[in-house]
């Protein structure tokens, strides 16, 4: 069997159910790895060891008593530190949040607990989840386990580092502009941004543009699908699957023959990819064709004219966060810049921008309407070195982030489901992610397609040195 962290999340759940492994053993094993590897990976900001041990003992007692147990009973997980957790510090990656202990759980946290998972703590995030790298003033940078000199991406960088490093089998993340998919791409994981409304953002979401999606990070498509089932249970008014249907079943069926569009160039990103990303894009296309799918070029609509409007929407949320005056001085320069920009936006300008961005989303969806799925690189470049971001020059910092991931935020606008597949690796051993975009509410097609790719080009057996 190897070590416990060699097991997938579903294998761990099955072993708990059969009494082959106890939840206590799983939690202790993962906590030992967190204690030993977290300084290098920067995965966790807060470790809740005692509560995890207590929940593991309770979970084990339920198994031994022969009680009915939920599908992921006893499996360790962690919650991204942008989500509220009752009685557990929730920093939002900021010095301003170091003393914040919510008195409620976000809906997705409730759902994960109901599914039987046991949280080991809160994973690392950049301040307020704003940049697509995870470097803050309150913890070590999150690093991809494949090269500790490079960033794990953001804003779910800690979650991705934890899963890719074998600290936990899967993790919760969220995505307001690529924050699940980007870390998945640079850490060699499956990451899913589901359809808008599939998972609740309640009860206290500050997301006026409705751009943020909760989503899973995992090493396999089946694990990601099972975690998506747990998160998308209809809590908080979210849109659940019909009774009796699961995302896991979609990951276990053949996709059939699909018509797939592809693109890597827009009027804001000219298709000049790093050679390793270009090679992965072409290799993935060839693999899809070899599996019998029809792959065609897609021409996306003009995007450049809407960039200022998207920026208007994106800067409004951090500007709306209420902080005491003394907290402003301790914020990162990038955060201060966005808050200052957002504070100057009149309500009428915000509404006009929102209308413009929604119109762009409709045009983008129409451009892909003829296809069952769309292939696009998740990021344009290999993982960036830690410290490469120019936080002292926020405008240059933002431009660098846009160059790194030019396409991800488009699908927060459309609300379509997107799944990152780690189907390619560079000659230097770094993962390169490709995104599969589905039609709105059609996670099924991209889950089935990703599972097919995983079958013919498996990736989960690849392990970083720290494994």
């Amino acid at each position: 069997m190897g070590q416990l962290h060699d097991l997938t999340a579903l294998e761990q759940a099955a072993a708990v159910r059969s009494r082959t492994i106890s939840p206590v053993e799983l939690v202790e094993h993962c906590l030992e790895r967190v204690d030993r590897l977290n300084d290098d990976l920067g995965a966790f900001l807060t470790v809740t060891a005692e509560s995890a041990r207590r929940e593991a003992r309770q979970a084990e007692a339920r198994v031994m008593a022969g009680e009915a147990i939920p599908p992921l009973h006893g499996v360790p997980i962690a919650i991204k530190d942008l989500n509220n957790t009752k009685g557990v510090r929730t920093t939002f990656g900021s010095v301003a949040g170091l003393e914040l202990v919510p008195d409620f759980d976000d809906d997705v946290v409730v759902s994960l607990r109901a599914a039987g998972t046991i949280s080991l703590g809160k994973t690392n995030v950049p301040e307020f989840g704003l940049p697509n790298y995870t470097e803050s003033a309150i913890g070590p940078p999150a690093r991809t386990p494949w090269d500790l000199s490079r960033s794990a991406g953001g804003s779910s960088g800690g979650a991705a580092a934890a899963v890719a490093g074998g600290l936990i089998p899967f993790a919760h993340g969220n995505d307001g502009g690529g924050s699940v998919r980007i870390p998945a791409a640079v850490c060699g994981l499956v990451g899913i941004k589901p359809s808008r409304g599939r998972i609740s953002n309640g009860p206290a979401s500050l997301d006026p543009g409705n751009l943020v999606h909760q989503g899973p990070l995992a090493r396999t498509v089946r694990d990601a699908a099972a975690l998506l089932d747990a998160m998308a249970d209809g809590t908080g008014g979210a849109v659940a699957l019909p009774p009796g249907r699961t995302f896991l079943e979609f990951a276990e069926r053949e996709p059939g023959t699909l018509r797939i569009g592809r693109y890597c160039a827009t009027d804001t990103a000219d298709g000049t990819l790093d050679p390793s990303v270009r090679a992965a894009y072409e290799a993935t296309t060839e693999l899809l064709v070899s599996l019998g799918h029809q792959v065609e070029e897609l021409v996306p609509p003009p995007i450049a004219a809407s960039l200022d409007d998207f920026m208007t929407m994106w800067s409004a949320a951090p500007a709306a966060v209420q902080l005491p005056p003394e907290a402003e001085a301790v914020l990162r320069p990038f955060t201060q810049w966005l808050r200052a920009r957002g504070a100057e936006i009149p309500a009428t300008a915000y509404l006009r921008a929102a209308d413009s961005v929604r119109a762009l989303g409709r045009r983008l969806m129409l451009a892909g309407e003829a296809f069952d799925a769309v292939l696009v690189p998740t990021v344009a470049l290999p993982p960036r070195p830690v410290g490469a971001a120019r936080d002292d020059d926020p405008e240059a910092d933002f431009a660098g982030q846009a160059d790194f991931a030019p396409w991800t935020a488009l699908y927060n606008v459309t609300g379509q489901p997107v799944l990152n597949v780690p189907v390619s690796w560079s000659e230097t051993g770094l993962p390169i992610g490709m995104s599969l975009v589905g039609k709105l509410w059609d996670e099924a097609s991209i889950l089935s397609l990703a599972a097919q790719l995983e079958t013919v080009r498996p990736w989960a057996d690849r392990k970083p040195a720290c494994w």
Side-chain angles (χ1 to χ4, degrees):
M1 181 178 71
Q3 299 190 70
L4 293 183
H5 63 280
D6 290 323
L7 300 175
T8 68
L10 285 171
E11 288 170 343
Q12 291 183 15
V16 167
R17 192 174 298 276
S18 67
R19 303 187 186 182
T20 306
I21 298 170
S22 78
V24 172
E25 289 178 283
L26 284 174
V27 165
E28 289 295 347
H29 181 83
C30 290
L31 286 173
E32 185 278 329
R33 289 185 64 78
V34 172
D35 184 63
R36 180 160 47 88
L37 297 172
N38 193 54
D39 286 348
D40 290 335
L41 295 176
F44 282 80
L45 286 176
T46 301
V47 179
T48 53
E50 291 312 307
S51 64
R53 290 185 173 111
R54 181 177 64 253
E55 291 179 26
R57 291 192 296 269
Q58 294 169 348
E60 183 171 355
R62 290 187 62 185
V63 173
M64 300 308 294
E67 296 182 23
I69 57 176
L72 299 175
H73 188 74
V75 180
I77 198 170
I79 307 300
K80 184 175 175 179
D81 207 22
L82 295 184
N83 283 78
N84 293 289
T85 43
K86 184 177 180 179
V88 178
R89 185 181 72 158
T90 301
T91 70
F92 298 95
S94 177
V95 172
L98 284 175
E99 305 302 321
L100 177 62
V101 180
D103 60 1
F104 66 96
D105 286 321
D106 279 346
D107 290 339
V108 69
V109 177
V110 175
S111 297
L112 289 170
R113 185 179 297 113
T117 62
I118 299 174
S119 176
L120 303 192
K122 307 297 290 290
T123 54
N124 198 358
V125 295
E127 190 164 66
F128 300 150
L130 296 174
N132 61 20
Y133 54 87
T134 302
E135 299 173 34
S136 74
I138 66 170
R143 303 171 185 268
T144 175
W146 298 97
D147 181 346
L148 294 177
S149 72
R150 295 176 183 263
S151 171
S155 62
S156 304
V163 177
L167 278 57
I168 47 178
F170 51 22
H172 157 266
N174 50 38
D175 187 316
S179 291
V180 164
R181 292 159 287 158
I182 293 166
V186 300
C187 290
L189 300 175
V190 178
I192 303 175
K193 183 198 78 65
S195 296
R196 178 180 292 124
R198 184 67 83 182
I199 301 171
S200 171
N201 282 332
S205 173
L206 183 59
D207 178 25
N210 206 14
L211 299 174
V212 176
H213 304 59
Q214 311 295 320
L217 290 130
R219 287 190 291 129
T220 71
V221 175
R222 293 183 73 249
D223 276 2
L227 188 53
L228 184 56
D229 279 319
M231 299 168 79
D233 65 352
T235 297
V239 181
L241 288 174
R245 303 305 300 271
T246 68
F247 292 110
L248 182 56
E249 74 177 82
F250 299 139
E252 294 173 338
R253 76 178 192 187
E254 290 296 319
T257 300
L258 303 181
R259 186 182 181 193
I260 300 171
R262 75 164 204 165
Y263 74 97
C264 66
T266 68
D267 59 345
T268 61
D270 64 4
T272 304
L273 308 178
D274 181 88
S276 63
V277 179
R278 168 68 70 177
Y281 177 63
E282 299 298 345
T284 305
T285 299
E286 292 173 9
L287 180 58
L288 291 167
V289 171
S290 75
L291 293 169
H293 301 296
Q294 181 181 348
V295 182
E296 305 171 28
E297 297 296 328
L298 179 154
V299 179
I303 292 167
S306 299
L307 284 183
D308 284 347
D309 293 325
F310 179 82
M311 188 62 178
T312 293
M313 290 185 67
W314 199 63
S315 57
V321 175
Q322 293 186 340
L323 294 173
E326 63 272 17
E328 292 289 342
V330 302
L331 298 179
R332 303 279 285 193
F334 185 70
T335 308
Q336 292 183 16
W337 175 69
L338 274 180
R339 281 173 62 82
R341 190 183 190 285
E344 296 173 355
I345 299 169
T348 52
Y350 178 85
L351 292 172
R352 284 194 294 267
D355 186 63
S356 169
V357 169
R358 282 193 292 267
L360 169 63
R362 290 192 294 271
R363 292 194 298 272
L364 186 60
M365 282 198 287
L366 286 173
E369 186 65 27
F371 302 103
D372 300 300
V374 172
L375 173 71
V376 63
T378 304
V379 296
L381 305 167
R384 289 178 295 181
V386 170
R390 298 179 60 182
D391 198 28
D392 60 332
D393 184 346
E395 290 195 52
D397 186 351
F398 183 78
Q401 293 181 56
D403 289 343
F404 183 65
W407 311 280
T408 52
L410 296 175
Y411 296 103
N412 295 83
V413 172
T414 67
Q416 292 168 266
V418 188
L419 189 154
N420 178 79
V421 282
V423 75
S424 293
W425 301 74
S426 73
E427 293 181 357
T428 58
L430 294 173
I432 301 172
M434 291 289 132
S435 285
L436 303 174
V437 184
K439 294 181 183 293
L440 193 63
W441 305 115
D442 186 17
E443 288 89 350
S445 293
I446 56 175
L447 281 166
S448 299
L449 181 58
Q452 183 185 49
L453 293 175
E454 185 177 24
T455 298
V456 298
R457 193 70 57 80
W459 52 73
D461 288 339
R462 289 180 178 265
K463 306 288 172 54
C466 69
W467 194 267

Coordinates of all heavy atoms in Angstrom, one line a residue, residues 54-112:
R54 N -9.5 15.6 17.8 CA -10.8 15.4 18.4 C -11.8 14.9 17.4 O -12.6 13.9 17.7 CB -11.3 16.6 19.1 CG -12.6 16.5 19.9 CD -13.0 17.7 20.6 NE -13.3 18.8 19.7 CZ -12.5 19.9 19.5 NH1 -11.4 20.0 20.2 NH2 -12.8 20.9 18.6
E55 N -11.9 15.5 16.3 CA -12.9 15.1 15.3 C -12.5 13.7 14.7 O -13.4 12.9 14.4 CB -12.9 16.1 14.1 CG -13.5 17.4 14.5 CD -13.5 18.4 13.4 OE1 -13.5 18.0 12.2 OE2 -13.5 19.6 13.7
A56 N -11.3 13.4 14.6 CA -10.8 12.0 14.2 C -11.3 11.0 15.2 O -11.7 9.9 14.8 CB -9.3 12.0 14.0
R57 N -11.1 11.2 16.5 CA -11.6 10.3 17.4 C -13.1 10.1 17.4 O -13.6 8.9 17.4 CB -11.2 10.7 18.8 CG -9.7 10.7 19.1 CD -9.4 10.8 20.6 NE -9.8 12.2 21.1 CZ -9.0 13.2 21.1 NH1 -7.7 13.1 20.6 NH2 -9.4 14.4 21.6
Q58 N -13.8 11.1 17.2 CA -15.3 11.0 17.0 C -15.7 10.3 15.8 O -16.6 9.5 15.8 CB -15.9 12.4 17.0 CG -15.7 13.2 18.3 CD -16.1 14.7 18.2 OE1 -16.3 15.2 17.1 NE2 -16.2 15.4 19.3
A59 N -14.9 10.5 14.7 CA -15.2 9.8 13.4 C -14.9 8.3 13.6 O -15.7 7.5 13.1 CB -14.3 10.4 12.3
E60 N -13.8 8.0 14.2 CA -13.5 6.6 14.5 C -14.6 5.9 15.3 O -15.0 4.8 15.0 CB -12.2 6.5 15.1 CG -11.7 5.0 15.3 CD -10.3 4.9 15.8 OE1 -9.6 5.9 15.9 OE2 -9.8 3.8 16.0
A61 N -15.1 6.6 16.3 CA -16.1 6.0 17.2 C -17.4 5.7 16.4 O -18.0 4.7 16.6 CB -16.4 7.0 18.3
R62 N -17.7 6.6 15.4 CA -18.9 6.3 14.6 C -18.7 5.1 13.7 O -19.6 4.3 13.5 CB -19.2 7.5 13.7 CG -19.7 8.8 14.5 CD -20.1 9.8 13.5 NE -21.2 9.4 12.6 CZ -21.7 10.1 11.6 NH1 -21.2 11.3 11.3 NH2 -22.7 9.6 10.9
V63 N -17.5 4.9 13.2 CA -17.2 3.7 12.4 C -17.4 2.5 13.2 O -18.0 1.5 12.8 CB -15.9 3.8 11.7 CG1 -15.5 2.5 11.0 CG2 -15.8 5.0 10.7
M64 N -16.7 2.5 14.3 CA -16.7 1.3 15.2 C -18.1 1.0 15.7 O -18.4 -0.2 16.0 CB -15.7 1.5 16.4 CG -14.3 1.7 15.9 SD -13.7 0.5 14.8 CE -13.7 -1.0 15.8
A65 N -19.0 2.0 15.8 CA -20.3 1.7 16.3 C -21.2 1.3 15.2 O -22.4 0.9 15.5 CB -20.9 3.0 16.9
G66 N -20.7 1.2 14.0 CA -21.5 0.7 12.9 C -22.5 1.7 12.4 O -23.5 1.4 11.7
E67 N -22.3 3.0 12.7 CA -23.3 4.0 12.2 C -23.2 4.3 10.7 O -22.1 4.0 10.1 CB -23.0 5.4 13.0 CG -23.2 5.3 14.5 CD -23.0 6.7 15.1 OE1 -23.1 7.7 14.4 OE2 -22.7 6.7 16.3
A68 N -24.2 4.8 10.1 CA -24.2 5.3 8.8 C -23.2 6.5 8.7 O -23.3 7.4 9.5 CB -25.5 5.7 8.3
I69 N -22.3 6.5 7.8 CA -21.3 7.5 7.7 C -21.4 8.2 6.3 O -21.7 7.5 5.3 CB -19.9 7.0 8.0 CG1 -19.5 5.9 7.0 CG2 -19.8 6.6 9.4 CD1 -18.1 5.4 7.2
P70 N -21.0 9.5 6.2 CA -21.0 10.2 4.9 C -19.9 9.7 4.0 O -19.0 9.0 4.4 CB -20.9 11.6 5.3 CG -20.3 11.6 6.7 CD -20.7 10.4 7.3
P71 N -19.9 10.1 2.7 CA -19.0 9.5 1.7 C -17.5 9.8 2.0 O -16.7 9.0 1.6 CB -19.5 10.1 0.4 CG -20.3 11.3 0.8 CD -20.9 11.0 2.1
L72 N -17.2 10.9 2.6 CA -15.8 11.2 2.8 C -15.4 11.2 4.2 O -14.5 11.9 4.7 CB -15.5 12.6 2.1 CG -15.7 12.7 0.6 CD1 -15.5 14.1 0.1 CD2 -14.8 11.7 -0.1
H73 N -16.0 10.3 5.0 CA -15.9 10.3 6.4 C -14.4 10.0 6.8 O -13.8 9.0 6.4 CB -16.8 9.1 6.9 CG -16.8 9.1 8.4 ND1 -17.6 10.0 9.2 CD2 -16.3 8.2 9.3 CE1 -17.5 9.7 10.5 NE2 -16.7 8.6 10.6
G74 N -13.9 10.9 7.6 CA -12.6 10.7 8.2 C -11.4 11.1 7.3 O -10.3 11.0 7.7
V75 N -11.7 11.7 6.1 CA -10.6 12.1 5.2 C -10.1 13.5 5.5 O -10.9 14.4 5.6 CB -11.1 12.0 3.8 CG1 -10.0 12.4 2.8 CG2 -11.6 10.6 3.4
P76 N -8.8 13.7 5.7 CA -8.3 15.1 6.0 C -8.5 16.0 4.9 O -8.3 15.6 3.7 CB -6.8 14.8 6.4 CG -6.8 13.3 6.7 CD -7.8 12.7 5.9
I77 N -8.7 17.3 5.2 CA -8.8 18.4 4.2 C -8.3 19.6 4.9 O -7.9 19.6 6.1 CB -10.3 18.5 3.8 CG1 -10.4 19.3 2.5 CG2 -11.1 19.1 4.9 CD1 -11.8 19.2 1.8
A78 N -8.3 20.7 4.2 CA -8.0 22.1 4.8 C -8.9 23.1 4.1 O -9.3 22.9 3.0 CB -6.6 22.4 4.7
I79 N -9.1 24.2 4.8 CA -10.0 25.3 4.3 C -9.1 26.5 3.9 O -8.3 26.9 4.7 CB -11.0 25.7 5.3 CG1 -11.8 24.5 5.8 CG2 -12.0 26.7 4.8 CD1 -12.6 23.7 4.8
K80 N -9.4 27.1 2.8 CA -8.6 28.2 2.4 C -8.9 29.4 3.3 O -10.1 29.6 3.8 CB -9.0 28.6 1.0 CG -8.3 29.8 0.4 CD -8.7 30.0 -1.1 CE -8.0 31.2 -1.7 NZ -8.4 31.4 -3.1
D81 N -7.9 30.2 3.7 CA -8.0 31.2 4.7 C -8.7 32.5 4.2 O -8.6 33.5 4.8 CB -6.7 31.5 5.3 CG -6.8 32.0 6.7 OD1 -7.8 31.7 7.4 OD2 -5.9 32.7 7.2
L82 N -9.5 32.4 3.1 CA -10.4 33.4 2.8 C -11.8 33.1 3.1 O -12.7 33.9 2.9 CB -10.3 33.7 1.2 CG -9.0 34.2 0.6 CD1 -9.2 34.4 -0.8 CD2 -8.6 35.4 1.4
N83 N -12.0 31.9 3.8 CA -13.4 31.5 4.1 C -13.5 31.5 5.6 O -12.6 31.0 6.4 CB -13.7 30.1 3.5 CG -14.1 30.2 2.1 OD1 -13.2 30.3 1.2 ND2 -15.3 30.2 1.7
N84 N -14.7 31.9 6.1 CA -14.9 32.0 7.6 C -15.1 30.6 8.2 O -15.8 29.7 7.6 CB -16.2 32.8 7.8 CG -16.0 34.3 7.4 OD1 -15.3 35.0 8.1 ND2 -16.7 34.7 6.4
T85 N -14.4 30.4 9.3 CA -14.5 29.2 10.1 C -14.7 29.5 11.5 O -14.0 30.2 12.2 CB -13.2 28.4 9.9 OG1 -12.1 29.3 10.1 CG2 -13.1 27.6 8.6
K86 N -15.8 29.0 12.0 CA -16.2 29.3 13.4 C -15.2 28.9 14.4 O -14.8 27.7 14.5 CB -17.6 28.6 13.7 CG -18.1 28.9 15.1 CD -19.5 28.2 15.3 CE -20.1 28.6 16.6 NZ -21.4 27.9 16.8
G87 N -14.8 29.8 15.2 CA -13.8 29.5 16.3 C -12.4 29.3 15.8 O -11.5 29.0 16.7
V88 N -12.1 29.5 14.5 CA -10.8 29.3 14.0 C -10.3 30.6 13.3 O -11.1 31.2 12.5 CB -10.7 28.2 13.0 CG1 -9.3 28.0 12.4 CG2 -11.1 26.8 13.7
R89 N -9.2 31.1 13.7 CA -8.6 32.3 13.1 C -8.8 32.3 11.6 O -8.5 31.3 10.9 CB -7.2 32.5 13.5 CG -6.6 33.8 13.0 CD -5.1 33.9 13.4 NE -4.3 33.0 12.6 CZ -2.9 33.2 12.5 NH1 -2.3 34.2 13.1 NH2 -2.2 32.3 11.8
T90 N -9.3 33.4 11.0 CA -9.4 33.6 9.6 C -8.8 34.9 9.2 O -9.4 36.0 9.4 CB -10.9 33.6 9.2 OG1 -11.5 32.3 9.6 CG2 -11.1 33.7 7.7
T91 N -7.6 34.9 8.7 CA -6.8 36.1 8.5 C -7.0 36.8 7.2 O -6.6 38.0 7.1 CB -5.3 35.7 8.6 OG1 -4.9 35.0 7.4 CG2 -4.9 34.9 9.8
F92 N -7.5 36.1 6.2 CA -7.6 36.7 4.8 C -6.2 37.1 4.3 O -6.1 38.0 3.5 CB -8.6 37.9 4.8 CG -10.0 37.5 5.1 CD1 -10.5 37.7 6.4 CD2 -10.9 37.0 4.2 CE1 -11.8 37.3 6.8 CE2 -12.2 36.6 4.5 CZ -12.6 36.8 5.8
G93 N -5.2 36.5 4.9 CA -3.9 36.7 4.4 C -3.3 38.1 4.8 O -2.3 38.5 4.2
S94 N -3.9 38.7 5.8 CA -3.5 40.1 6.1 C -3.2 40.3 7.5 O -3.8 39.7 8.4 CB -4.7 41.0 5.7 OG -4.4 42.4 6.0
V95 N -2.2 41.2 7.8 CA -1.9 41.6 9.1 C -3.1 42.1 9.8 O -3.4 41.9 11.0 CB -0.8 42.6 9.1 CG1 -0.5 43.2 10.5 CG2 0.5 42.0 8.6
A96 N -4.0 42.7 9.0 CA -5.2 43.3 9.6 C -6.2 42.3 10.1 O -7.1 42.6 10.8 CB -5.9 44.2 8.5
G97 N -6.0 41.0 9.7 CA -6.9 39.9 10.1 C -6.3 39.0 11.1 O -7.0 37.9 11.4
L98 N -5.2 39.3 11.7 CA -4.5 38.3 12.6 C -5.3 37.9 13.8 O -5.2 36.8 14.3 CB -3.1 38.9 13.0 CG -2.1 38.8 11.9 CD1 -0.8 39.5 12.4 CD2 -1.8 37.3 11.5
E99 N -6.2 38.8 14.2 CA -6.9 38.6 15.5 C -8.4 38.2 15.2 O -9.2 38.1 16.1 CB -6.9 39.8 16.4 CG -5.5 40.3 16.7 CD -4.7 39.2 17.4 OE1 -5.3 38.5 18.3 OE2 -3.5 39.1 17.1
L100 N -8.7 38.0 13.9 CA -10.1 37.8 13.5 C -10.5 36.3 13.7 O -9.9 35.4 13.1 CB -10.4 38.2 12.1 CG -11.8 37.9 11.5 CD1 -12.8 38.7 12.3 CD2 -11.8 38.2 10.0
V101 N -11.5 36.0 14.6 CA -12.0 34.7 14.8 C -13.5 34.7 14.6 O -14.2 35.2 15.5 CB -11.6 34.2 16.2 CG1 -12.2 32.8 16.4 CG2 -10.1 34.2 16.5
P102 N -14.0 34.3 13.5 CA -15.4 34.3 13.2 C -16.3 33.5 14.1 O -15.8 32.5 14.7 CB -15.5 33.8 11.7 CG -14.2 33.9 11.2 CD -13.2 33.7 12.3
D103 N -17.5 33.9 14.3 CA -18.4 33.1 15.1 C -19.4 32.3 14.2 O -20.5 31.8 14.7 CB -19.2 34.0 16.1 CG -20.0 35.0 15.4 OD1 -20.0 35.1 14.1 OD2 -20.7 35.8 16.1
F104 N -19.1 32.1 13.0 CA -19.9 31.3 12.1 C -19.0 30.6 11.0 O -17.9 31.0 10.8 CB -20.9 32.2 11.4 CG -20.3 33.2 10.4 CD1 -20.2 32.9 9.1 CD2 -19.9 34.4 10.9 CE1 -19.7 33.9 8.2 CE2 -19.3 35.4 10.1 CZ -19.2 35.1 8.7
D105 N -19.5 29.6 10.4 CA -18.9 28.9 9.2 C -19.5 29.4 7.9 O -20.7 29.6 7.9 CB -19.1 27.4 9.3 CG -18.2 26.8 10.4 OD1 -17.1 27.2 10.6 OD2 -18.7 25.8 11.0
D106 N -18.7 29.5 6.9 CA -19.3 29.7 5.6 C -20.0 28.5 5.2 O -19.7 27.4 5.6 CB -18.2 30.1 4.6 CG -17.8 31.5 4.6 OD1 -18.5 32.3 5.2 OD2 -16.7 31.9 4.0
D107 N -20.9 28.6 4.2 CA -21.8 27.4 3.8 C -20.9 26.3 3.3 O -21.2 25.1 3.6 CB -22.7 27.9 2.7 CG -23.8 28.8 3.2 OD1 -24.1 28.8 4.5 OD2 -24.4 29.5 2.4
V108 N -19.9 26.6 2.6 CA -19.1 25.5 2.0 C -18.3 24.8 3.1 O -18.1 23.5 3.0 CB -18.1 26.1 0.9 CG1 -17.0 26.9 1.6 CG2 -17.4 25.0 0.1
V109 N -18.0 25.4 4.2 CA -17.3 24.7 5.3 C -18.3 23.8 6.0 O -18.0 22.7 6.3 CB -16.8 25.8 6.3 CG1 -16.2 25.1 7.5 CG2 -15.8 26.7 5.7
V110 N -19.6 24.2 6.1 CA -20.6 23.4 6.6 C -20.8 22.1 5.8 O -20.9 21.0 6.3 CB -22.0 24.2 6.8 CG1 -23.1 23.2 7.2 CG2 -21.8 25.3 7.7
S111 N -20.8 22.3 4.5 CA -21.0 21.2 3.5 C -19.8 20.2 3.6 O -20.1 19.0 3.6 CB -21.1 21.8 2.1 OG -22.2 22.6 1.9
L112 N -18.6 20.7 3.7 CA -17.5 19.8 3.8 C -17.5 19.0 5.1 O -17.1 17.8 5.1 CB -16.2 20.6 3.7 CG -15.9 21.2 2.3 CD1 -14.8 22.1 2.3 CD2 -15.7 20.0 1.3

